[in-house]
Amino acid sequence: MSKSQITFNKKEREKKKLLKKQQKIEKKEFNKTNNDKGKSLEELFAYVDEHGNISDRPAIKLKEGESPSMTSNHHDEYSFGKVVHYNAESNYGFIRDNDTQQSIYFNDRLVGQKLNLNQKVKFKFKSAKQGAQVTEVLIEY
């Protein structure tokens, strides 16, 4: 009688091969169920404004010869929003504009009064190098 031609190493290589095959099939099934294909192209876009802030909305398109101050004069008109973040230790926070959903920085020292979280406010803001900053706040009741 002859000795079996299947050695220990051959058995181990076969086991590893089957294990890799099984892992590949499992990974394929996982990727099939958890794929994020089918998202619209607009959901994948990110827009950057002139100050380097990233948002999911495009910037306002200007007509030729029109400057940004002509389209939105934030110095003269109030915007409405609510305080969405407030750090009591450092006395700063962010107000979310109801119209644009933009977060605008404020500091108690700049505003001249203390604000509370989820407080509805009427405010004016200006664009600065770091982004938009609140210049004046009126509390809504």
Side-chain angles (χ1 to χ4, degrees), residues 56-113:
D56 58 348
R57 297 173 186 224
I60 299 170
K61 294 180 182 176
L62 302 175
K63 294 178 184 172
E64 207 171 304
E66 198 174 47
S67 71
S69 60
M70 295 170 94
T71 58
S72 59
N73 196 355
H74 294 293
H75 299 289
D76 295 337
E77 58 189 53
Y78 281 98
S79 298
F80 294 91
K82 120 178 158 173
V83 178
V84 293
H85 175 77
Y86 184 71
N87 185 335
E89 293 174 4
S90 301
N91 298 327
Y92 77 91
F94 292 92
I95 297 174
R96 170 119 342 122
D97 190 349
N98 288 346
D99 295 333
T100 64
Q101 298 300 312
Q102 178 184 11
S103 292
I104 301 162
Y105 170 82
F106 76 88
N107 189 315
D108 289 348
R109 202 176 31 154
L110 294 172
V111 173
Q113 58 187 333

